[in-house]
Amino acid sequence: MGCGAAGYGAVRGPPGPRGGEAGASQRAGLQREVPSNCIKTSKYNIITFLPVNLFEQFQEVANTYFLFLLILQLIPQISSLSWFTTIVPLVLVLTITAVKDATDDYFRHKSDNQVNNRQSQVLISGVLRQEQWMNVRVGDIIKLENNQFVAADLLLLSSSEPHGLCYIETAELDGETNMKVRQAIPVTSELGDTSKLAQFDGEVICEPPNNKLDKFGGTLYWKENKYPLSNQNMLLRGCVLRNTEWCFGLVIFAGPDTKLMQNSGRTKFKRTSIDRLMNTLVLWIFGFLVCMGVILAIGNAIWEHEVGVCFQIYLPWDEGVHSAFFSGFLSFWSYIIILNTVVPISLYVSVEVIRLGHSYFINWDKKMYCAKRRTPAEARTTTLNEELGQVEYIFSDKTGTLTQNIMVFSKCSVNARSYGDVQDMLGHKAELGERPEPVDFSFNPLADPRFQFWDPSLLEAIKLGDPHVHEFFRLLSLCHTVMSEEKSEGELYYKAQSPDEGALVTAARNFGFVFRSRTPKTITVHELGRAITYQLLAILDFNNIRKRMSVIVRSPEGKIRLYCKGADTILLERLHPINQDLTNVTTDHLNEYAGEGLRTLVLAYKDLEESYYEEWSERLHRASSAHEAREDRLAQLYDEVEHDMMLLGATAIEDKLQQGVPETIAILTLANIKIWVLTGDKQETAVNIGYSCKMLTDDMTEVFVITGHTVLEVREELRKAREKMMDASRSMSNGFSYQEKLSSSKLTSVLEAIAGEYALVINGHSLAHALEADMEVEFLETACACKAVICCRVTPLQKAQVVELVKKYKKAVTLAIGDGANDVSMIKTAHIGVGISGQEGIQAVLASDYSFSQFKFLQRLLLVHGRWSYLRMCKFLCYFFYKNFAFTMVHFWFGFFCGFSAQTVYDQYFITLYNIVYTSLPVLAMGVFDQDVPEQRSMEYPKLYEPGQLNLLFNKREFFICIAQGIYTSVLMFFIPYGVFADATRDDGAQLADYQSFAVTVATSLVIVVSVQIGLDTGFWTAINHFFIWGSLAAYFAILFAMHSDGLFQMFPNQFRFVGNAQNTLAQPTVWLTIALTTVVCIMPVVAFRFLKLDLKPELSDTVRYTQLVRKKQKTQHRCMRRAGRVGSRRSGYAFSHQEGFGELIMSGKNMRLSSLALSSFTARPSTGWIETLRKKKGSDSSTAGSPSSATSKALKV
């Protein structure tokens, strides 16, 4: 496929060994190379890895800073430290990060190869051959088989179904689970075998690649004719072929040009907020470093000018230095090198090690392992762990993420009685763990063994011949658009366009009303073992406006009846007044079902007179043939006949949620995390799931529904919603004024502090207007004031736009979670992307940063791993800056006493080993293992999560507190020993003060003080913490004594000249008293402050720890808690994931095989053997008075 001069693409089919690629390339005016079908989610290859990865790493300010220092250290005139002290850690950091990035990208390559190496049948030289997906090209003809994924965007040519129909599931594209029908154009639908397809030489001129999932425009030129093409003729990559044995398609778009990949967005380089803050802090520290260097350089110039000139004879200036000013200039660079340890490169090595450890904790967490799918949680990146502890907004897909894509017939109401609740011996509703065995349907040879129902009283009503119950299930077996396939005797397979319909027809099947087959004019149902064929007179199809569907059938006795099912809000208005009492009871049942989050439909019927039906049918025929206002005329006729109906009852279907979804959402909400559901599904379905998972509740003040089709309508609906919320707020705050206009840089609205709970539901077409530049702030303001937000019918690109909008204005950490290819775009856009390894393929997992198998694990990922990661990283950074400022600032104070000569206090081995050996492992242990409260308390007290959202534990204020403490420590560390040594003497009366003794005393004080400080900072002690802290102290003394030993002096006399200095210094009681005094004075203010804070202003974590200690002292009390019964709801529980058009398709017979059409003359052998088992009546002549169908009751007599 190439781009023509007009900007359109051209694809030509065979002839040629591989069909259309030759033809496409021959087209005049092609300006664009045809892409392969290979997809790529990886960032690097072997050639680009080194330059691209180094470029990314040097975007970190710290890495550039260390490279600059390295260059300075290579200049001997200004360097007082060896160059290897910087280059070794720098290369180590770059290598560790590069290896980590390479590993991450290797797994992306591996995943890409998995997808690209899938097999597909391609027509080559008239023969079908197995080809890898990546070798599929534009113009190829591909054969797909049932349940296979579509490899590329295809033009449907032919299929195994009549009239070139095929059925697809688009859950990966738009999140909808209901099947959709696609149809080949008539001229190609007969190309069913490979010999005819090999001769197909048509050419397709079509639109260029784009991301619009619901639109396609093109023309097929073949045999000197042209045929228009639309989206109904296309099979898009990511779809799954369902209920169709095979089909053939012509590849139109491949690889990155497919609509799926066009919607997937680009892979973005993600960095945490702490990383971004660190870059800012490094710049500030560098500025601070320059200021200190300038002060010391000025001091050096003054000292050399005033004092240094007096010592020129035996302390001459270095070669090349001819003035005090130039000496100060060189001194500036020397001090920059000496003082650079305020930000040591080991900080970044330690950060990477800590993040790696946190990632392994996630991977090893057995509580996030799904035994059923054998899927562990996986941290697919190691750079975002602490951001998991700062999430404020979660954007979730619905289908496959919150739900299981499984519909279950749960309850029903028939003739004012509710069925489906299981009762225990006392007549109470049984709990899940107390349920008895499900109803036994073994007597029914046609029952679906997977169907389960828990209330035996419904089956008893069937056995007792309750006419209302019979009519209820008769309606379910007749009023639908399901297709039935019977591959062997008694083995039925239903092809349902929506899972709702499948669940209802399967329920009727198990209770004895088995839908067997259909033709365009008949429906055959086995009612309690007896085959009855109804004449299908009309299907009044479902659509989103009518919210109902009806069938008109003629029974074998000649009686005409209309059966209808639909939304309670619609059907209850169309009932005959005689139903009032029954309606009241049924409404109560509907409210109860809605309160449990079940999807409800109301069932009704109406008997029609023959004369009325004939006259109505004639008007229907004329309306169907009308050229103008056809839809309106049909709707009017449908509305006319669907009045004065008799109520039968209601159904309640459970759209099964993933395990633990309501509890997870409730706890995350308590953690002040806002959850938005972004789904491609219908509004009713999405809202129903919102109630099921307790995002929406009946206690909410109001649920705003935005459905405007124009910019003005959407703006007005948003304005009204804001006004309602503000009116409530004003009434609570005595007329608080509200400013309409907001700052675009930072959205802070009084709406977020309103009284009451609100929810916002918005449709895709309305969202398109709401996301426009002049309205996006209004939309976001309204949405953020609501407790829950549900966006329905949204495209994958709109999902990403909503996430980007929140990132842009709220400056909050966002997390997107989904399981399908339609979620990839928002997963890539959010700060953190989580993939559910579910049933919709692996595209979401490939694009994600973290993956697991169930939504409920998100709670543990954030509240335990995320919170701990944030806490550990913040404590690590605070301590690291503290200990390095305490270490480095001693040089600054010493500069005033050494003539500003850039002389170091410590020897260079201590400077090198301080961050690598003496203080590295204890802070690593704290950064990896520390925790403030156990994991159970983290889950019990979600409010513990809020400090991360508010960024309280490490921010600019905390940073300044840390460096202030470090500077305070350095002042005491230098001046206490300096003051003591001024007049101190040894035991033998000699002067104690000398440079080496002073250096040993200060260094020892420093190591002990920072070790005590990390002991105070550690909240969770493990054996590793003890070993590292006390081991580091032991290592310090061991190395100190070794460097001042005779052995090293004899081996390296020029390097280790001060033999016995450490032993002599530390043998003096004065030195140890000095060290003890320094330690106490440095640490006591910290201890006093923490005790006061704990007593006067404790944090929640302190309170939880105290509670835990109290609990340990008390005896554990076991409470047997019983689940509270659900209350009813006064809202509609209607939801039906059905699509318009299937009724017309069935009535036309286009989707019927010839074999199924012949079934109209087939009459099954009556199976009466199981009827006696079914019907255990006490009397054979029970009254049939009040039966909705006397003809049916006759048919039931054996």
Side-chain angles (χ1 to χ4, degrees):
M1 195 279 300
C3 278
Y8 269 59
V11 178
R12 184 174 294 169
R18 285 190 61 128
E21 74 272 25
S25 62
Q26 292 165 5
R27 177 169 171 77
L30 292 184
Q31 302 167 0
R32 186 171 173 278
E33 186 180 346
V34 178
S36 71
N37 199 40
C38 181
I39 65 161
K40 178 186 173 186
T41 61
S42 56
K43 292 164 62 178
Y44 317 107
N45 58 38
I46 293 176
I47 297 171
T48 63
F49 174 73
L50 198 59
V52 172
N53 188 259
L54 284 176
F55 174 76
E56 286 179 349
Q57 290 201 57
F58 279 108
Q59 284 184 317
E60 294 281 353
V61 175
N63 288 339
T64 308
Y65 165 70
F66 292 124
L67 183 64
F68 171 69
L69 285 175
L70 175 62
I71 295 168
L72 288 181
Q73 284 182 296
L74 295 174
I75 304 171
Q77 285 82 2
I78 62 174
S79 178
S80 55
L81 294 174
S82 302
W83 58 269
F84 66 81
T85 58
T86 298
I87 195 169
V88 172
L90 178 61
V91 170
L92 187 65
V93 168
L94 296 176
T95 303
I96 289 174
T97 307
V99 168
K100 178 180 67 66
D101 290 344
T103 305
D104 289 346
D105 210 54
Y106 165 74
F107 287 111
R108 290 193 198 99
H109 275 284
K110 191 175 178 182
S111 301
D112 288 346
N113 290 335
Q114 261 185 332
V115 175
N116 291 328
N117 289 322
R118 286 179 181 173
Q119 296 294 307
S120 189
Q121 298 182 68
V122 182
L123 186 64
I124 302 175
S125 301
V127 179
L128 285 171
R129 295 183 185 171
Q130 291 289 335
E131 280 283 353
Q132 294 172 329
W133 275 26
M134 62 181 176
N135 295 328
V136 170
R137 305 178 194 172
V138 172
D140 281 351
I141 290 180
I142 294 179
K143 182 181 181 181
L144 293 173
E145 294 180 346
N146 194 31
N147 296 326
Q148 281 188 347
F149 278 95
V150 180
D153 287 359
L154 309 178
L155 170 65
L156 179 61
L157 297 177
S158 60
S159 77
S160 58
E161 301 299 300
H163 302 278
L165 294 174
C166 79
Y167 303 94
I168 57 171
E169 186 180 279
T170 60
E172 279 240 1
L173 286 171
D174 55 22
E176 293 190 22
T177 53
N178 57 305
M179 280 193 296
K180 296 180 174 65
V181 65
R182 295 289 184 263
Q183 185 171 13
I185 57 175
V187 71
T188 64
S189 60
E190 303 303 323
L191 303 176
D193 58 71
T194 54
S195 58
K196 290 180 181 178
L197 286 164
Q199 300 305 313
F200 174 71
D201 59 353
E203 183 177 33
V204 175
I205 307 293
C206 65
E207 62 186 18
N210 60 70
N211 56 26
K212 295 177 181 175
L213 295 173
D214 56 348
K215 291 182 181 177
F216 177 80
T219 307
L220 170 65
Y221 293 86
W222 190 36
K223 295 182 179 179
E224 300 183 357
N225 290 312
K226 61 180 183 178
Y227 307 92
L229 304 175
S230 70
N231 202 48
Q232 284 298 109
N233 311 122
M234 295 294 294
L235 306 180
L236 303 182
R237 178 173 181 144
C239 298
V240 182
L241 193 67
R242 298 290 192 205
N243 297 344
T244 307
E245 287 185 21
W246 53 262
C247 72
F248 285 96
L250 173 68
V251 178
I252 303 295
F253 298 128
D257 282 352
T258 59
K259 292 184 183 286
L260 175 67
M261 297 306 292
Q262 290 279 312
N263 270 285
S264 65
R266 295 182 61 187
T267 301
K268 297 181 180 179
F269 181 61
K270 296 183 178 181
R271 296 161 66 196
T272 67
S273 57
I274 285 183
D275 281 335
R276 293 188 290 273
L277 176 60
M278 286 282 292
N279 279 347
T280 304
L281 297 181
V282 167
L283 290 174
W284 287 5
I285 290 172
F286 184 71
F288 179 66
L289 190 61
V290 169
C291 291
M292 289 194 296
V294 168
I295 292 169
L296 294 169
I298 293 171
N300 178 268
I302 294 172
W303 191 90
E304 290 290 351
H305 184 268
E306 298 292 332
V307 183
V309 290
C310 302
F311 303 95
Q312 287 290 317
I313 297 173
Y314 61 90
L315 278 178
W317 284 335
D318 293 336
E319 187 178 346
V321 179
H322 305 294
S323 67
F325 175 79
F326 191 66
S327 174
F329 175 76
L330 293 180
S331 178
F332 169 78
W333 295 110
S334 297
Y335 271 114
I336 291 293
I337 293 171
I338 289 172
L339 300 174
N340 83 84
T341 48
V342 285
V343 186
I345 199 162
S346 59
L347 169 66
Y348 290 88
V349 179
S350 302
V351 165
E352 293 301 325
V353 171
I354 289 170
R355 285 173 170 168
L356 188 65
H358 294 169
S359 298
Y360 277 114
F361 287 155
I362 293 171
N363 295 344
W364 294 339
D365 191 343
K366 291 182 179 179
K367 293 181 180 177
M368 294 172 68
Y369 175 79
C370 179
K372 184 178 179 182
R373 295 179 185 168
R374 297 183 180 178
T375 307
E378 181 184 4
R380 296 171 55 82
T381 181
T382 58
T383 58
L384 303 174
N385 294 327
E386 64 269 18
E387 196 125 279
L388 288 169
Q390 297 180 277
V391 173
E392 287 187 59
Y393 288 85
I394 292 176
F395 300 92
S396 175
D397 177 41
K398 179 190 76 71
T399 308
T401 303
L402 300 178
T403 65
Q404 299 182 36
N405 296 350
I406 299 172
M407 301 291 180
V408 176
F409 182 83
S410 179
K411 295 182 180 181
C412 62
S413 170
V414 186
N415 195 31
R417 180 176 176 184
S418 179
Y419 298 93
D421 286 320
V422 186
Q423 296 183 343
D424 57 21
M425 299 292 290
L426 299 175
H428 299 116
K429 289 184 182 179
E431 299 298 319
L432 287 172
E434 302 167 355
R435 279 186 170 180
E437 290 296 315
V439 174
D440 182 13
F441 294 105
S442 59
F443 58 80
N444 182 353
L446 296 175
D448 185 339
R450 295 168 298 179
F451 178 85
Q452 287 187 321
F453 196 74
W454 305 91
D455 186 355
S457 62
L458 185 58
L459 185 59
E460 288 297 324
I462 293 278
K463 294 175 184 179
L464 296 172
D466 186 324
H468 297 96
V469 176
H470 285 189
E471 195 68 10
F472 178 89
F473 283 112
R474 184 175 295 112
L475 185 152
L476 294 182
S477 66
L478 292 171
C479 186
H480 56 78
T481 57
V482 174
M483 300 296 295
S484 174
E485 189 173 342
E486 192 168 359
K487 294 187 176 179
S488 61
E489 180 67 28
E491 193 175 327
L492 286 174
Y493 180 64
Y494 287 156
K495 299 178 182 179
Q497 187 246 334
S498 68
D500 311 64
E501 280 220 315
L504 293 173
V505 177
T506 301
R509 167 184 174 179
N510 275 58
F511 282 102
F513 289 75
V514 186
F515 164 62
R516 289 297 291 266
S517 61
R518 78 185 319 143
T519 71
K521 299 298 181 186
T522 64
I523 297 179
T524 300
V525 178
H526 278 218
E527 297 183 357
L528 306 179
R530 188 185 188 93
I532 300 177
T533 299
Y534 293 86
Q535 184 181 352
L536 181 59
L537 302 177
I539 294 181
L540 283 56
D541 207 359
F542 172 91
N543 66 32
N544 287 328
I545 298 171
R546 283 169 40 77
K547 296 184 180 180
R548 63 190 185 278
M549 76 163 290
S550 302
V551 294
I552 300 177
V553 296
R554 191 194 304 271
S555 68
E557 291 77 18
K559 195 169 186 176
I560 299 175
R561 178 166 285 181
L562 176 143
Y563 291 108
C564 182
K565 66 182 181 188
D568 52 354
T569 53
I570 302 295
L571 250 66
L572 294 180
E573 298 173 354
R574 287 168 166 71
L575 297 178
H576 195 282
I578 200 174
N579 291 275
Q580 190 58 51
D581 293 338
L582 178 58
T583 300
N584 293 337
V585 178
T586 305
T587 301
D588 290 339
H589 292 160
L590 286 167
N591 293 335
E592 180 188 337
Y593 301 156
E596 297 180 32
L598 302 177
R599 301 159 65 118
T600 58
L601 289 175
V602 172
L603 311 185
Y605 71 96
K606 179 182 180 180
D607 288 319
L608 302 178
E609 296 292 334
E610 182 76 34
S611 57
Y612 171 78
Y613 170 74
E614 291 295 338
E615 185 267 336
W616 181 86
S617 178
E618 178 61 31
R619 286 188 288 146
L620 181 70
H621 178 72
R622 288 198 300 270
S624 302
S625 307
H627 295 291
E628 294 181 3
R630 176 178 177 270
E631 298 299 327
D632 293 338
R633 293 174 66 179
L634 286 175
Q636 189 175 353
L637 284 170
Y638 291 171
D639 191 63
E640 175 192 318
V641 75
E642 292 170 333
H643 262 98
D644 292 334
M645 294 184 287
M646 302 298 292
L647 179 62
L648 268 176
T651 62
I653 292 177
E654 181 184 1
D655 186 356
K656 288 191 80 68
L657 294 171
Q658 297 269 2
Q659 186 181 0
V661 166
E663 295 83 358
T664 300
I665 288 177
I667 288 176
L668 292 177
T669 303
L670 288 174
N672 200 34
I673 298 174
K674 296 180 176 65
I675 301 175
W676 293 19
V677 173
L678 312 179
T679 177
D681 220 335
K682 293 167 54 176
Q683 178 183 313
E684 293 89 354
T685 309
V687 169
N688 190 275
I689 290 299
Y691 280 99
S692 297
C693 62
K694 298 293 179 275
M695 272 184 66
L696 307 178
T697 64
D698 295 311
D699 297 328
M700 283 185 162
T701 311
E702 189 164 350
V703 177
F704 302 112
V705 181
I706 311 297
T707 57
H709 286 79
T710 66
V711 175
L712 293 176
E713 288 176 359
V714 174
R715 192 187 300 275
E716 181 64 17
E717 289 177 2
L718 289 172
R719 185 187 62 79
K720 286 181 179 177
R722 287 198 305 278
E723 282 183 355
K724 285 186 178 180
M725 288 189 281
M726 286 307 302
D727 287 342
S729 184
R730 286 192 190 100
S731 64
M732 298 290 289
S733 59
N734 294 324
F736 184 86
S737 62
Y738 165 61
Q739 297 295 325
E740 281 276 345
K741 295 183 179 179
L742 297 163
S743 166
S744 60
S745 61
K746 188 175 183 181
L747 185 66
T748 54
S749 173
V750 294
L751 275 174
E752 295 194 39
I754 60 167
E757 290 185 348
Y758 298 89
L760 181 74
V761 178
I762 185 168
N763 271 310
H765 53 78
S766 304
L767 186 63
H769 297 304
L771 291 174
E772 291 179 5
D774 61 337
M775 207 193 304
E776 60 181 14
V777 174
E778 294 179 48
F779 165 65
L780 185 63
E781 171 193 299
T782 310
C784 289
C786 297
K787 182 182 176 184
V789 178
I790 298 177
C791 302
C792 321
R793 292 289 192 191
V794 292
T795 66
L797 199 61
Q798 283 179 324
K799 291 184 178 185
Q801 288 172 338
V802 171
V803 176
E804 190 63 50
L805 180 65
V806 174
K807 283 175 65 178
K808 178 180 177 182
Y809 288 105
K810 298 303 293 180
K811 309 299 182 189
V813 177
T814 58
L815 180 146
I817 180 169
D819 72 323
N822 60 317
D823 305 313
V824 167
S825 188
M826 74 169 179
I827 284 173
K828 288 181 177 179
T829 303
H831 292 100
I832 301 167
V834 178
I836 300 285
S837 47
Q839 302 172 13
E840 291 188 25
I842 58 171
Q843 295 289 335
V845 172
L846 297 184
S848 67
D849 304 306
Y850 300 89
S851 67
F852 40 72
S853 61
Q854 294 184 42
F855 182 84
K856 68 176 181 179
F857 294 147
L858 184 62
Q859 174 185 345
R860 187 169 176 81
L861 181 71
L862 298 185
L863 300 188
V864 178
H865 292 288
R867 202 181 71 81
W868 278 353
S869 293
Y870 174 71
L871 170 79
R872 291 162 177 167
M873 186 60 71
C874 293
K875 292 181 74 171
F876 163 81
L877 290 172
C878 288
Y879 175 77
F880 214 100
F881 282 119
Y882 154 75
K883 77 180 181 69
N884 280 286
F885 266 83
F887 165 66
T888 306
M889 289 301 292
V890 172
H891 293 302
F892 181 78
W893 311 125
F894 184 58
F896 291 89
F897 297 89
C898 68
F900 306 96
S901 60
Q903 173 70 42
T904 59
V905 177
Y906 323 106
D907 65 69
Q908 90 171 10
Y909 295 104
F910 180 82
I911 293 172
T912 303
L913 296 175
Y914 177 74
N915 279 307
I916 295 176
V917 177
Y918 301 150
T919 61
S920 61
L921 293 179
V923 73
L924 268 181
M926 183 179 71
V928 172
F929 299 108
D930 200 48
Q931 50 185 266
D932 54 349
V933 297
E935 59 182 72
Q936 299 91 341
R937 302 293 171 260
S938 294
M939 306 279 269
E940 283 178 23
Y941 300 95
K943 286 290 181 185
L944 287 168
Y945 190 78
E946 286 190 13
Q949 296 170 325
L950 301 173
N951 205 19
L952 296 180
L953 301 186
F954 186 74
N955 48 42
K956 293 169 185 175
R957 177 178 174 273
E958 292 296 321
F959 168 73
F960 284 121
I961 291 173
C962 294
I963 64 172
Q965 184 188 353
I967 292 171
Y968 163 78
T969 303
S970 72
V971 169
L972 298 175
M973 201 81 64
F974 178 79
F975 285 103
I976 289 178
Y978 184 83
V980 171
F981 273 49
D983 299 315
T985 58
R986 296 179 183 274
D987 293 341
D988 57 4
Q991 181 71 23
L992 180 60
D994 64 71
Y995 172 71
Q996 283 298 319
S997 297
F998 181 74
V1000 168
T1001 304
V1002 174
T1004 305
S1005 300
L1006 176 65
V1007 171
I1008 291 175
V1009 167
V1010 297
S1011 296
V1012 173
Q1013 182 65 48
I1014 199 168
L1016 292 174
D1017 288 347
T1018 301
F1020 181 72
W1021 285 85
T1022 66
I1024 295 173
N1025 293 84
H1026 283 288
F1027 177 74
F1028 281 173
I1029 291 175
W1030 312 128
S1032 295
L1033 273 173
Y1036 165 72
F1037 285 108
I1039 294 171
L1040 178 67
F1041 289 132
M1043 285 195 302
H1044 293 83
S1045 65
D1046 293 336
L1048 274 180
F1049 171 72
Q1050 290 171 3
M1051 287 186 286
F1052 309 102
N1054 292 327
Q1055 298 293 325
F1056 302 98
R1057 303 189 193 97
F1058 304 99
V1059 181
N1061 176 66
Q1063 292 87 334
N1064 291 336
T1065 302
L1066 295 177
Q1068 303 299 317
T1070 306
V1071 171
W1072 282 108
L1073 285 170
T1074 304
I1075 292 170
L1077 177 63
T1078 306
T1079 304
V1080 169
V1081 175
C1082 287
I1083 295 299
M1084 280 308 295
V1086 177
V1087 174
F1089 173 77
R1090 293 190 181 180
F1091 268 107
L1092 286 171
K1093 186 181 177 186
L1094 191 64
D1095 193 46
L1096 301 177
K1097 195 179 177 182
E1099 296 178 353
L1100 179 59
S1101 57
D1102 301 323
T1103 308
V1104 171
R1105 276 198 300 271
Y1106 175 75
T1107 307
Q1108 188 180 357
L1109 289 172
V1110 172
R1111 281 183 182 178
K1112 284 182 179 179
K1113 294 176 182 177
Q1114 296 174 344
K1115 291 183 178 180
T1116 306
Q1117 296 179 353
H1118 296 280
R1119 294 182 181 180
C1120 183
M1121 297 190 68
R1122 189 175 180 84
R1123 188 178 65 174
R1126 300 190 194 226
V1127 296
S1129 169
R1130 299 307 300 172
R1131 66 176 182 87
S1132 170
Y1134 160 72
F1136 193 49
S1137 57
H1138 206 61
Q1139 193 180 26
E1140 185 178 6
F1142 269 71
E1144 188 176 342
L1145 197 63
I1146 288 170
M1147 294 299 288
S1148 68
K1150 286 184 178 180
N1151 62 341
M1152 306 287 183
R1153 298 178 186 276
L1154 290 175
S1155 57
S1156 65
L1157 291 172
L1159 286 172
S1160 57
S1161 59
F1162 168 78
T1163 304
R1165 295 187 300 273
S1167 174
T1168 59
W1170 62 279
I1171 299 178
E1172 297 303 325
T1173 311
L1174 172 70
R1175 193 184 301 155
K1176 295 179 179 178
K1177 304 200 290 186
K1178 292 181 180 179
S1180 59
D1181 55 347
S1182 58
S1183 171
T1184 58
S1187 166
S1189 173
S1190 57
T1192 306
S1193 55
K1194 290 179 184 177
L1196 289 173
K1197 292 182 180 178
V1198 179

